Amino acid sequence: MITVNFPNPIGEEHWGLWIVFYFFLAGATGGAYLLSVLFYGKDQGLVRRSALWAFLGVAVGAGLLVIDLGQPLRFLNLFLNGFHPASVMWLGSWFLVLAGAGLLWVYLRPTSRGVQQGVAVLVALVVGYTAVLLMQTAKPFWNASPLLPWLFLASAATAGGALLQLWYPHEKLSRLVTASALAEGAVLALHLIWTYPVATPGVLALLVGPLAWAFWGFVVVGWGLPLFLERRNVALAALLTLVGAFLLRYFVVMAGQV
Amino acid sequence: MPNPNDFAILFDASRCIGCKACQVACKQWNDLEAEKTENRGSYANPPRLTAHTWISMRYYEGLRPDGDPYFDFIRGSCMHCTHAPCVASCPTGAMAHREGGVVTVDEKTCIGCRFCVQACPYEAVHFDEAKGVVHKCTMCYDRISNGDQPACVKACPTDALTFGTYQEIRALAEERLRVLKERGYARANVYGLAELGGTHILYVLTEHPSQYDLPKAVREAEKRAATGWLSAGIAAAVLGAGLKFIVERREALKGGGQ
Ligand code: SF4
Ligand code: SF4
């Protein structure tokens, strides 16, 4: 039997850094594709370029998921071992494969906008299922409020917008990123208030405990500062937003397992 | 509801003396490796279930508000749930119900994703880092499918553990509850009838389940996922439409003003 050990600050049994990286890659690159289809559908160059990015994000992310398994060589059991639609992970695995194939197609061939929108639905499912996956667990910080999908989708829009801004600093994108960052901040605050009564240790770990560096790092460096810099230095704001998107997923994944 | 002829075990807290014979018998029969433990000021040791400890006695002691001392024990282990979150969440079918309602993991199929670990509300299934798969109580499936009792039941010196069909065990639990109430245990109750479609381990308790750290009103994994999908769908629609409205209405307004 082959097992791969990976750096994981809270023990091998928990979901650790590989999972966080995957959530980040899928969220940011998937978000970029979703925004380009929703708002820049006429700019086929942009849509196809963001499809390539999202394909790479999904492909590398899927690789990280496989590495994270205790038995990586058995990953095909996800697909060949029957029909398990009650399992969000089983559904998510199929979404990943289908979205990856769709993105590659959009990048390689000229496709109609209908196809690109269909692929966008698959990408939205990939971004969204990661939050539903956490909600299916027994961990109160993840399942006590229904807001995790809102948080992940809003953060995907913010991070995806930031990714597009890095080489396409368009005025409309600034407005988009600002609006979704504000929504993201509101959802995060609401989630913490909502889950506090049942997930007190997790919430306290974020506010004043061992995860405070990631939480406040996100609030100050990955969220507040970029909002402030949005009109002053777009490239720096975009980079910090991406750092923030990573920190957000890091502390959400860790706080559920406190 | 479990099938009347399913296998079941009753743990009767009013008869338990906290001797850990069950915990030791489980280790011996299932050939589970010893674990390094330390004195944490409680008899509970190891303090929680692990991949190599499938039964762990938990102890609760202190003074009641009226000054009466209490010392309560419970046998912590897999509850063999009818609507088991570990089974619903498993993406490969490795975790499944066997004949008689028993939940076991097929270690040759398990990919080590640890979703079941996150999904179990009783923290009863754990990851074996060396083998890359998860382990948990099997209700001694090898013994009971050959007409024998589980090792823990056989070892119990006070008849706090009884093995039988679900029908028998449930009747016994209700009978014990009646006797305890008669003897003045006002808070006596049976745990496991309503939880997760009925569990195949029933507890007769002399105190409220929360006194033993047992979760009440546990939501099934299917329902948690359904809430998640619904919330994700609404989130995608609201965020997508909201961003489109904010960004493009502003543009239209600007265009109108020129
Ligand atoms: S107690 Fe946990 S491991 Fe056991 S059947 Fe229920 S969910 Fe599965
Ligand atoms: S760790 Fe194994 S048994 Fe548990 S959910 Fe994953 S594949 Fe199924």
mmCIF file of all heavy atoms in Angstrom, chain A residues 12-15 38 68-71 74 77 81 87 90 136-139 146 150 172 175 257, chain B residues 88-89 91 107 109-115 118-119 126-127 129 131-132 224 231 244 247 251:
data_model
loop_
_atom_site.group_PDB
_atom_site.id
_atom_site.type_symbol
_atom_site.label_atom_id
_atom_site.label_comp_id
_atom_site.label_asym_id
_atom_site.label_seq_id
_atom_site.Cartn_x
_atom_site.Cartn_y
_atom_site.Cartn_z
ATOM 1 N N GLU A 12 -2.508 14.282 10.118
ATOM 2 C CA GLU A 12 -2.800 13.677 8.826
ATOM 3 C C GLU A 12 -4.278 13.366 8.615
ATOM 4 O O GLU A 12 -4.745 13.298 7.497
ATOM 5 C CB GLU A 12 -2.018 12.368 8.674
ATOM 6 C CG GLU A 12 -0.544 12.481 8.980
ATOM 7 C CD GLU A 12 0.221 13.164 7.870
ATOM 8 O OE1 GLU A 12 0.288 12.575 6.797
ATOM 9 O OE2 GLU A 12 0.722 14.267 8.088
ATOM 10 N N GLU A 13 -4.986 13.118 9.721
ATOM 11 C CA GLU A 13 -6.381 12.728 9.559
ATOM 12 C C GLU A 13 -7.234 13.880 9.046
ATOM 13 O O GLU A 13 -8.201 13.679 8.328
ATOM 14 C CB GLU A 13 -6.929 12.242 10.900
ATOM 15 C CG GLU A 13 -8.402 11.908 10.849
ATOM 16 C CD GLU A 13 -8.873 11.218 12.112
ATOM 17 O OE1 GLU A 13 -8.717 9.987 12.169
ATOM 18 O OE2 GLU A 13 -9.363 11.893 13.028
ATOM 19 N N HIS A 14 -6.862 15.095 9.444
ATOM 20 C CA HIS A 14 -7.673 16.250 9.071
ATOM 21 C C HIS A 14 -7.451 16.641 7.619
ATOM 22 O O HIS A 14 -6.496 16.225 6.986
ATOM 23 C CB HIS A 14 -7.343 17.425 9.979
ATOM 24 C CG HIS A 14 -7.788 17.223 11.383
ATOM 25 N ND1 HIS A 14 -7.082 16.459 12.277
ATOM 26 C CD2 HIS A 14 -8.884 17.668 12.032
ATOM 27 C CE1 HIS A 14 -7.726 16.449 13.428
ATOM 28 N NE2 HIS A 14 -8.816 17.169 13.318
ATOM 29 N N TRP A 15 -8.369 17.471 7.132
ATOM 30 C CA TRP A 15 -8.168 18.040 5.805
ATOM 31 C C TRP A 15 -7.236 19.235 5.972
ATOM 32 O O TRP A 15 -7.505 20.140 6.763
ATOM 33 C CB TRP A 15 -9.506 18.470 5.221
ATOM 34 C CG TRP A 15 -10.328 17.300 4.766
ATOM 35 C CD1 TRP A 15 -9.874 16.031 4.518
ATOM 36 C CD2 TRP A 15 -11.728 17.282 4.512
ATOM 37 N NE1 TRP A 15 -10.915 15.233 4.127
ATOM 38 C CE2 TRP A 15 -12.065 15.970 4.110
ATOM 39 C CE3 TRP A 15 -12.736 18.237 4.560
ATOM 40 C CZ2 TRP A 15 -13.368 15.595 3.775
ATOM 41 C CZ3 TRP A 15 -14.033 17.866 4.230
ATOM 42 C CH2 TRP A 15 -14.337 16.561 3.839
ATOM 43 N N LEU A 38 -19.865 35.822 -17.786
ATOM 44 C CA LEU A 38 -21.009 36.643 -17.380
ATOM 45 C C LEU A 38 -20.891 38.081 -17.882
ATOM 46 O O LEU A 38 -21.876 38.688 -18.260
ATOM 47 C CB LEU A 38 -21.102 36.674 -15.852
ATOM 48 C CG LEU A 38 -22.135 35.784 -15.154
ATOM 49 C CD1 LEU A 38 -21.998 35.931 -13.642
ATOM 50 C CD2 LEU A 38 -23.550 36.164 -15.563
ATOM 51 N N ASP A 68 -3.740 14.036 -1.626
ATOM 52 C CA ASP A 68 -4.219 14.092 -0.250
ATOM 53 C C ASP A 68 -4.826 12.763 0.215
ATOM 54 O O ASP A 68 -4.948 12.521 1.411
ATOM 55 C CB ASP A 68 -5.258 15.209 -0.120
ATOM 56 C CG ASP A 68 -5.723 15.388 1.314
ATOM 57 O OD1 ASP A 68 -4.876 15.764 2.139
ATOM 58 O OD2 ASP A 68 -6.896 15.128 1.600
ATOM 59 N N LEU A 69 -5.204 11.903 -0.718
ATOM 60 C CA LEU A 69 -5.841 10.638 -0.326
ATOM 61 C C LEU A 69 -4.856 9.762 0.439
ATOM 62 O O LEU A 69 -3.642 9.805 0.207
ATOM 63 C CB LEU A 69 -6.326 9.873 -1.566
ATOM 64 C CG LEU A 69 -7.421 10.546 -2.394
ATOM 65 C CD1 LEU A 69 -7.723 9.698 -3.623
ATOM 66 C CD2 LEU A 69 -8.669 10.760 -1.564
ATOM 67 N N GLY A 70 -5.395 8.920 1.319
ATOM 68 C CA GLY A 70 -4.545 7.955 1.996
ATOM 69 C C GLY A 70 -4.079 6.873 1.037
ATOM 70 O O GLY A 70 -3.018 6.269 1.210
ATOM 71 N N GLN A 71 -4.873 6.621 0.008
ATOM 72 C CA GLN A 71 -4.562 5.608 -1.003
ATOM 73 C C GLN A 71 -4.696 6.251 -2.387
ATOM 74 O O GLN A 71 -5.654 5.987 -3.114
ATOM 75 C CB GLN A 71 -5.549 4.439 -0.892
ATOM 76 C CG GLN A 71 -5.344 3.552 0.311
ATOM 77 C CD GLN A 71 -4.117 2.687 0.195
ATOM 78 O OE1 GLN A 71 -3.598 2.486 -0.905
ATOM 79 N NE2 GLN A 71 -3.637 2.178 1.306
ATOM 80 N N ARG A 74 -5.770 4.514 -5.643
ATOM 81 C CA ARG A 74 -7.123 3.978 -5.789
ATOM 82 C C ARG A 74 -8.128 5.056 -6.185
ATOM 83 O O ARG A 74 -9.334 4.842 -6.060
ATOM 84 C CB ARG A 74 -7.594 3.386 -4.462
ATOM 85 C CG ARG A 74 -6.846 2.167 -4.037
ATOM 86 C CD ARG A 74 -7.522 1.616 -2.786
ATOM 87 N NE ARG A 74 -6.725 0.583 -2.177
ATOM 88 C CZ ARG A 74 -6.885 0.173 -0.927
ATOM 89 N NH1 ARG A 74 -7.819 0.733 -0.176
ATOM 90 N NH2 ARG A 74 -6.132 -0.778 -0.442
ATOM 91 N N ASN A 77 -11.527 4.580 -7.840
ATOM 92 C CA ASN A 77 -12.713 4.075 -7.126
ATOM 93 C C ASN A 77 -13.806 5.135 -7.035
ATOM 94 O O ASN A 77 -14.979 4.811 -6.871
ATOM 95 C CB ASN A 77 -12.341 3.633 -5.700
ATOM 96 C CG ASN A 77 -11.590 2.326 -5.710
ATOM 97 O OD1 ASN A 77 -11.317 1.780 -6.769
ATOM 98 N ND2 ASN A 77 -11.251 1.817 -4.532
ATOM 99 N N ASN A 81 -16.789 2.848 -8.921
ATOM 100 C CA ASN A 81 -17.333 1.988 -7.868
ATOM 101 C C ASN A 81 -18.787 2.288 -7.556
ATOM 102 O O ASN A 81 -19.182 2.366 -6.406
ATOM 103 C CB ASN A 81 -16.490 2.125 -6.606
ATOM 104 C CG ASN A 81 -16.045 0.765 -6.127
ATOM 105 O OD1 ASN A 81 -16.459 -0.247 -6.671
ATOM 106 N ND2 ASN A 81 -15.222 0.734 -5.114
ATOM 107 N N SER A 87 -23.408 11.381 -1.771
ATOM 108 C CA SER A 87 -22.102 11.858 -1.337
ATOM 109 C C SER A 87 -21.696 13.085 -2.136
ATOM 110 O O SER A 87 -21.517 13.008 -3.358
ATOM 111 C CB SER A 87 -21.065 10.748 -1.511
ATOM 112 O OG SER A 87 -19.767 11.292 -1.400
ATOM 113 N N TRP A 90 -18.613 12.490 -4.152
ATOM 114 C CA TRP A 90 -18.772 11.731 -5.395
ATOM 115 C C TRP A 90 -19.269 12.661 -6.502
ATOM 116 O O TRP A 90 -18.724 12.681 -7.614
ATOM 117 C CB TRP A 90 -19.749 10.572 -5.169
ATOM 118 C CG TRP A 90 -19.934 9.694 -6.355
ATOM 119 C CD1 TRP A 90 -19.117 8.665 -6.738
ATOM 120 C CD2 TRP A 90 -20.972 9.779 -7.345
ATOM 121 N NE1 TRP A 90 -19.600 8.100 -7.888
ATOM 122 C CE2 TRP A 90 -20.730 8.757 -8.281
ATOM 123 C CE3 TRP A 90 -22.079 10.600 -7.517
ATOM 124 C CZ2 TRP A 90 -21.558 8.540 -9.388
ATOM 125 C CZ3 TRP A 90 -22.907 10.390 -8.617
ATOM 126 C CH2 TRP A 90 -22.648 9.375 -9.526
ATOM 127 N N GLN A 136 -21.847 19.080 4.501
ATOM 128 C CA GLN A 136 -22.349 17.718 4.721
ATOM 129 C C GLN A 136 -21.692 17.050 5.943
ATOM 130 O O GLN A 136 -22.142 16.007 6.401
ATOM 131 C CB GLN A 136 -22.136 16.843 3.472
ATOM 132 C CG GLN A 136 -22.936 15.541 3.560
ATOM 133 C CD GLN A 136 -22.852 14.672 2.323
ATOM 134 O OE1 GLN A 136 -21.895 14.709 1.569
ATOM 135 N NE2 GLN A 136 -23.886 13.876 2.099
ATOM 136 N N THR A 137 -20.641 17.622 6.463
ATOM 137 C CA THR A 137 -19.953 17.017 7.595
ATOM 138 C C THR A 137 -20.718 17.282 8.892
ATOM 139 O O THR A 137 -21.736 17.972 8.887
ATOM 140 C CB THR A 137 -18.557 17.615 7.762
ATOM 141 O OG1 THR A 137 -18.698 18.978 8.162
ATOM 142 C CG2 THR A 137 -17.758 17.540 6.485
ATOM 143 N N ALA A 138 -20.184 16.740 9.988
ATOM 144 C CA ALA A 138 -20.805 16.946 11.296
ATOM 145 C C ALA A 138 -20.175 18.114 12.034
ATOM 146 O O ALA A 138 -20.393 18.275 13.227
ATOM 147 C CB ALA A 138 -20.675 15.670 12.126
ATOM 148 N N LYS A 139 -19.379 18.929 11.373
ATOM 149 C CA LYS A 139 -18.658 20.006 12.060
ATOM 150 C C LYS A 139 -19.514 21.271 12.116
ATOM 151 O O LYS A 139 -19.850 21.835 11.067
ATOM 152 C CB LYS A 139 -17.351 20.324 11.317
ATOM 153 C CG LYS A 139 -16.479 19.103 11.055
ATOM 154 C CD LYS A 139 -15.833 18.631 12.323
ATOM 155 C CE LYS A 139 -14.965 17.412 12.027
ATOM 156 N NZ LYS A 139 -14.408 16.824 13.230
ATOM 157 N N PRO A 146 -26.219 28.171 6.713
ATOM 158 C CA PRO A 146 -26.244 27.786 5.288
ATOM 159 C C PRO A 146 -25.389 28.717 4.431
ATOM 160 O O PRO A 146 -25.518 28.728 3.209
ATOM 161 C CB PRO A 146 -27.739 27.923 4.940
ATOM 162 C CG PRO A 146 -28.235 28.975 5.860
ATOM 163 C CD PRO A 146 -27.394 28.955 7.106
ATOM 164 N N TRP A 150 -22.429 30.763 -0.024
ATOM 165 C CA TRP A 150 -22.431 32.198 -0.341
ATOM 166 C C TRP A 150 -21.017 32.751 -0.202
ATOM 167 O O TRP A 150 -20.538 33.501 -1.051
ATOM 168 C CB TRP A 150 -23.359 32.955 0.618
ATOM 169 C CG TRP A 150 -24.798 32.623 0.455
ATOM 170 C CD1 TRP A 150 -25.421 31.460 0.837
ATOM 171 C CD2 TRP A 150 -25.806 33.433 -0.157
ATOM 172 N NE1 TRP A 150 -26.754 31.516 0.511
ATOM 173 C CE2 TRP A 150 -27.018 32.709 -0.086
ATOM 174 C CE3 TRP A 150 -25.798 34.697 -0.737
ATOM 175 C CZ2 TRP A 150 -28.210 33.218 -0.604
ATOM 176 C CZ3 TRP A 150 -26.984 35.206 -1.235
ATOM 177 C CH2 TRP A 150 -28.180 34.467 -1.167
ATOM 178 N N LYS A 172 -14.714 48.317 -15.220
ATOM 179 C CA LYS A 172 -15.869 47.531 -14.784
ATOM 180 C C LYS A 172 -15.439 46.456 -13.777
ATOM 181 O O LYS A 172 -16.164 46.138 -12.833
ATOM 182 C CB LYS A 172 -16.512 46.880 -16.017
ATOM 183 C CG LYS A 172 -17.826 46.186 -15.727
ATOM 184 C CD LYS A 172 -18.718 46.089 -16.963
ATOM 185 C CE LYS A 172 -18.471 44.819 -17.728
ATOM 186 N NZ LYS A 172 -19.376 44.654 -18.883
ATOM 187 N N ARG A 175 -15.228 47.726 -10.220
ATOM 188 C CA ARG A 175 -16.537 47.807 -9.565
ATOM 189 C C ARG A 175 -17.008 46.425 -9.135
ATOM 190 O O ARG A 175 -17.529 46.233 -8.044
ATOM 191 C CB ARG A 175 -17.547 48.438 -10.528
ATOM 192 C CG ARG A 175 -17.367 49.921 -10.727
ATOM 193 C CD ARG A 175 -18.695 50.603 -11.065
ATOM 194 N NE ARG A 175 -19.324 50.045 -12.259
ATOM 195 C CZ ARG A 175 -19.012 50.411 -13.508
ATOM 196 N NH1 ARG A 175 -18.081 51.314 -13.698
ATOM 197 N NH2 ARG A 175 -19.629 49.879 -14.528
ATOM 198 N N GLN A 257 -12.186 22.285 12.091
ATOM 199 C CA GLN A 257 -11.580 21.095 12.688
ATOM 200 C C GLN A 257 -10.889 21.387 14.012
ATOM 201 O O GLN A 257 -10.111 20.578 14.493
ATOM 202 C CB GLN A 257 -10.588 20.478 11.692
ATOM 203 C CG GLN A 257 -11.235 20.220 10.335
ATOM 204 C CD GLN A 257 -10.263 19.722 9.291
ATOM 205 O OE1 GLN A 257 -9.982 18.536 9.223
ATOM 206 N NE2 GLN A 257 -9.741 20.620 8.479
ATOM 207 N N ALA B 88 -23.548 7.734 3.884
ATOM 208 C CA ALA B 88 -24.053 8.684 2.889
ATOM 209 C C ALA B 88 -22.917 9.482 2.272
ATOM 210 O O ALA B 88 -22.944 9.801 1.081
ATOM 211 C CB ALA B 88 -25.057 9.632 3.546
ATOM 212 N N SER B 89 -21.912 9.822 3.059
ATOM 213 C CA SER B 89 -20.868 10.703 2.541
ATOM 214 C C SER B 89 -19.788 9.942 1.783
ATOM 215 O O SER B 89 -19.067 10.548 0.985
ATOM 216 C CB SER B 89 -20.239 11.494 3.690
ATOM 217 O OG SER B 89 -19.639 10.616 4.610
ATOM 218 N N PRO B 91 -17.705 8.393 -0.913
ATOM 219 C CA PRO B 91 -17.827 8.503 -2.365
ATOM 220 C C PRO B 91 -17.512 7.200 -3.110
ATOM 221 O O PRO B 91 -17.654 7.159 -4.336
ATOM 222 C CB PRO B 91 -16.799 9.580 -2.715
ATOM 223 C CG PRO B 91 -15.737 9.412 -1.685
ATOM 224 C CD PRO B 91 -16.441 8.955 -0.427
ATOM 225 N N GLU B 107 -11.775 -2.176 3.608
ATOM 226 C CA GLU B 107 -10.455 -1.532 3.568
ATOM 227 C C GLU B 107 -9.750 -1.704 2.235
ATOM 228 O O GLU B 107 -8.741 -1.062 1.974
ATOM 229 C CB GLU B 107 -9.581 -2.069 4.707
ATOM 230 C CG GLU B 107 -10.148 -1.664 6.050
ATOM 231 C CD GLU B 107 -9.312 -2.134 7.214
ATOM 232 O OE1 GLU B 107 -8.185 -2.606 6.990
ATOM 233 O OE2 GLU B 107 -9.805 -2.034 8.349
ATOM 234 N N THR B 109 -11.318 -1.125 -0.597
ATOM 235 C CA THR B 109 -11.947 -0.154 -1.503
ATOM 236 C C THR B 109 -11.696 1.275 -1.051
ATOM 237 O O THR B 109 -11.623 2.190 -1.874
ATOM 238 C CB THR B 109 -13.470 -0.415 -1.553
ATOM 239 O OG1 THR B 109 -13.676 -1.766 -1.940
ATOM 240 C CG2 THR B 109 -14.151 0.496 -2.552
ATOM 241 N N CYS B 110 -11.584 1.477 0.256
ATOM 242 C CA CYS B 110 -11.431 2.815 0.837
ATOM 243 C C CYS B 110 -10.232 3.535 0.208
ATOM 244 O O CYS B 110 -9.159 2.955 0.059
ATOM 245 C CB CYS B 110 -11.242 2.679 2.347
ATOM 246 S SG CYS B 110 -10.803 4.209 3.170
ATOM 247 N N ILE B 111 -10.431 4.801 -0.170
ATOM 248 C CA ILE B 111 -9.341 5.577 -0.763
ATOM 249 C C ILE B 111 -8.689 6.519 0.259
ATOM 250 O O ILE B 111 -7.779 7.269 -0.079
ATOM 251 C CB ILE B 111 -9.827 6.409 -1.968
ATOM 252 C CG1 ILE B 111 -10.975 7.329 -1.558
ATOM 253 C CG2 ILE B 111 -10.266 5.489 -3.106
ATOM 254 C CD1 ILE B 111 -11.429 8.271 -2.663
ATOM 255 N N GLY B 112 -9.205 6.530 1.479
ATOM 256 C CA GLY B 112 -8.582 7.373 2.506
ATOM 257 C C GLY B 112 -8.869 8.854 2.351
ATOM 258 O O GLY B 112 -8.028 9.689 2.669
ATOM 259 N N CYS B 113 -10.097 9.185 1.890
ATOM 260 C CA CYS B 113 -10.417 10.607 1.704
ATOM 261 C C CYS B 113 -10.808 11.273 3.023
ATOM 262 O O CYS B 113 -10.832 12.483 3.121
ATOM 263 C CB CYS B 113 -11.544 10.771 0.687
ATOM 264 S SG CYS B 113 -13.122 10.116 1.248
ATOM 265 N N ARG B 114 -11.178 10.484 4.024
ATOM 266 C CA ARG B 114 -11.531 10.964 5.368
ATOM 267 C C ARG B 114 -12.815 11.786 5.405
ATOM 268 O O ARG B 114 -13.029 12.561 6.334
ATOM 269 C CB ARG B 114 -10.375 11.774 6.005
ATOM 270 C CG ARG B 114 -9.211 10.949 6.454
ATOM 271 C CD ARG B 114 -7.986 11.123 5.584
ATOM 272 N NE ARG B 114 -7.396 12.436 5.622
ATOM 273 C CZ ARG B 114 -6.953 13.059 4.535
ATOM 274 N NH1 ARG B 114 -7.046 12.485 3.350
ATOM 275 N NH2 ARG B 114 -6.418 14.250 4.640
ATOM 276 N N PHE B 115 -13.658 11.614 4.399
ATOM 277 C CA PHE B 115 -14.930 12.334 4.442
ATOM 278 C C PHE B 115 -15.807 11.752 5.551
ATOM 279 O O PHE B 115 -16.485 12.474 6.273
ATOM 280 C CB PHE B 115 -15.622 12.232 3.082
ATOM 281 C CG PHE B 115 -16.716 13.239 2.860
ATOM 282 C CD1 PHE B 115 -16.907 14.321 3.704
ATOM 283 C CD2 PHE B 115 -17.559 13.107 1.760
ATOM 284 C CE1 PHE B 115 -17.906 15.252 3.469
ATOM 285 C CE2 PHE B 115 -18.564 14.029 1.522
ATOM 286 C CZ PHE B 115 -18.747 15.099 2.385
ATOM 287 N N GLN B 118 -15.070 13.168 8.892
ATOM 288 C CA GLN B 118 -15.666 14.493 9.101
ATOM 289 C C GLN B 118 -17.173 14.399 9.292
ATOM 290 O O GLN B 118 -17.780 15.283 9.901
ATOM 291 C CB GLN B 118 -15.408 15.394 7.883
ATOM 292 C CG GLN B 118 -13.961 15.508 7.469
ATOM 293 C CD GLN B 118 -13.204 16.530 8.296
ATOM 294 O OE1 GLN B 118 -13.685 16.993 9.327
ATOM 295 N NE2 GLN B 118 -12.013 16.882 7.856
ATOM 296 N N ALA B 119 -17.791 13.364 8.730
ATOM 297 C CA ALA B 119 -19.255 13.310 8.705
ATOM 298 C C ALA B 119 -19.855 12.652 9.939
ATOM 299 O O ALA B 119 -21.011 12.899 10.264
ATOM 300 C CB ALA B 119 -19.728 12.563 7.451
ATOM 301 N N HIS B 126 -11.917 6.656 12.231
ATOM 302 C CA HIS B 126 -10.640 7.395 12.218
ATOM 303 C C HIS B 126 -9.675 6.827 11.190
ATOM 304 O O HIS B 126 -9.794 5.684 10.751
ATOM 305 C CB HIS B 126 -10.036 7.401 13.615
ATOM 306 C CG HIS B 126 -10.825 8.254 14.555
ATOM 307 N ND1 HIS B 126 -10.688 9.616 14.611
ATOM 308 C CD2 HIS B 126 -11.805 7.937 15.431
ATOM 309 C CE1 HIS B 126 -11.546 10.101 15.492
ATOM 310 N NE2 HIS B 126 -12.234 9.101 15.999
ATOM 311 N N PHE B 127 -8.707 7.685 10.862
ATOM 312 C CA PHE B 127 -7.776 7.406 9.774
ATOM 313 C C PHE B 127 -6.530 6.722 10.307
ATOM 314 O O PHE B 127 -5.935 7.176 11.288
ATOM 315 C CB PHE B 127 -7.412 8.746 9.127
ATOM 316 C CG PHE B 127 -6.507 8.652 7.924
ATOM 317 C CD1 PHE B 127 -6.842 7.875 6.821
ATOM 318 C CD2 PHE B 127 -5.317 9.373 7.894
ATOM 319 C CE1 PHE B 127 -6.012 7.821 5.711
ATOM 320 C CE2 PHE B 127 -4.481 9.321 6.782
ATOM 321 C CZ PHE B 127 -4.830 8.545 5.691
ATOM 322 N N GLU B 129 -2.935 6.299 9.600
ATOM 323 C CA GLU B 129 -1.933 6.944 8.740
ATOM 324 C C GLU B 129 -1.031 5.925 8.064
ATOM 325 O O GLU B 129 -0.624 6.119 6.921
ATOM 326 C CB GLU B 129 -1.067 7.895 9.575
ATOM 327 C CG GLU B 129 -1.820 9.126 9.997
ATOM 328 C CD GLU B 129 -1.008 9.971 10.967
ATOM 329 O OE1 GLU B 129 0.232 9.913 10.918
ATOM 330 O OE2 GLU B 129 -1.635 10.699 11.753
ATOM 331 N N LYS B 131 -1.715 2.846 7.129
ATOM 332 C CA LYS B 131 -2.367 2.060 6.077
ATOM 333 C C LYS B 131 -3.088 2.925 5.052
ATOM 334 O O LYS B 131 -3.470 2.442 3.982
ATOM 335 C CB LYS B 131 -3.357 1.081 6.691
ATOM 336 C CG LYS B 131 -2.663 -0.005 7.514
ATOM 337 C CD LYS B 131 -3.517 -1.251 7.573
ATOM 338 C CE LYS B 131 -2.752 -2.398 8.200
ATOM 339 N NZ LYS B 131 -3.445 -2.958 9.356
ATOM 340 N N GLY B 132 -3.330 4.188 5.385
ATOM 341 C CA GLY B 132 -3.987 5.078 4.430
ATOM 342 C C GLY B 132 -5.469 4.817 4.258
ATOM 343 O O GLY B 132 -6.065 5.267 3.279
ATOM 344 N N ARG B 224 -28.286 17.575 5.384
ATOM 345 C CA ARG B 224 -27.293 18.654 5.427
ATOM 346 C C ARG B 224 -26.872 19.010 4.004
ATOM 347 O O ARG B 224 -26.710 20.180 3.658
ATOM 348 C CB ARG B 224 -26.081 18.220 6.255
ATOM 349 C CG ARG B 224 -26.416 17.948 7.723
ATOM 350 C CD ARG B 224 -25.166 17.878 8.592
ATOM 351 N NE ARG B 224 -24.309 16.744 8.323
ATOM 352 C CZ ARG B 224 -23.986 15.812 9.218
ATOM 353 N NH1 ARG B 224 -24.460 15.878 10.440
ATOM 354 N NH2 ARG B 224 -23.188 14.830 8.890
ATOM 355 N N SER B 231 -28.943 26.155 -0.764
ATOM 356 C CA SER B 231 -28.326 27.436 -0.441
ATOM 357 C C SER B 231 -27.356 27.859 -1.543
ATOM 358 O O SER B 231 -27.298 29.034 -1.920
ATOM 359 C CB SER B 231 -27.611 27.325 0.901
ATOM 360 O OG SER B 231 -27.096 28.568 1.283
ATOM 361 N N LYS B 244 -24.448 41.522 -11.702
ATOM 362 C CA LYS B 244 -24.808 41.988 -13.037
ATOM 363 C C LYS B 244 -25.583 43.301 -12.925
ATOM 364 O O LYS B 244 -25.338 44.264 -13.645
ATOM 365 C CB LYS B 244 -25.660 40.909 -13.715
ATOM 366 C CG LYS B 244 -25.621 40.986 -15.204
ATOM 367 C CD LYS B 244 -25.283 39.697 -15.923
ATOM 368 C CE LYS B 244 -25.249 40.015 -17.405
ATOM 369 N NZ LYS B 244 -24.064 39.692 -18.098
ATOM 370 N N VAL B 247 -23.236 46.238 -11.612
ATOM 371 C CA VAL B 247 -22.231 46.677 -12.563
ATOM 372 C C VAL B 247 -22.866 47.244 -13.821
ATOM 373 O O VAL B 247 -22.502 48.320 -14.289
ATOM 374 C CB VAL B 247 -21.292 45.516 -12.905
ATOM 375 C CG1 VAL B 247 -20.374 45.906 -14.034
ATOM 376 C CG2 VAL B 247 -20.520 45.107 -11.677
ATOM 377 N N GLU B 251 -23.422 51.138 -15.502
ATOM 378 C CA GLU B 251 -22.937 51.465 -16.845
ATOM 379 C C GLU B 251 -24.030 52.138 -17.669
ATOM 380 O O GLU B 251 -23.811 53.142 -18.332
ATOM 381 C CB GLU B 251 -22.506 50.174 -17.543
ATOM 382 C CG GLU B 251 -21.179 50.303 -18.244
ATOM 383 C CD GLU B 251 -20.525 48.955 -18.399
ATOM 384 O OE1 GLU B 251 -21.175 48.078 -18.997
ATOM 385 O OE2 GLU B 251 -19.390 48.789 -17.930
#
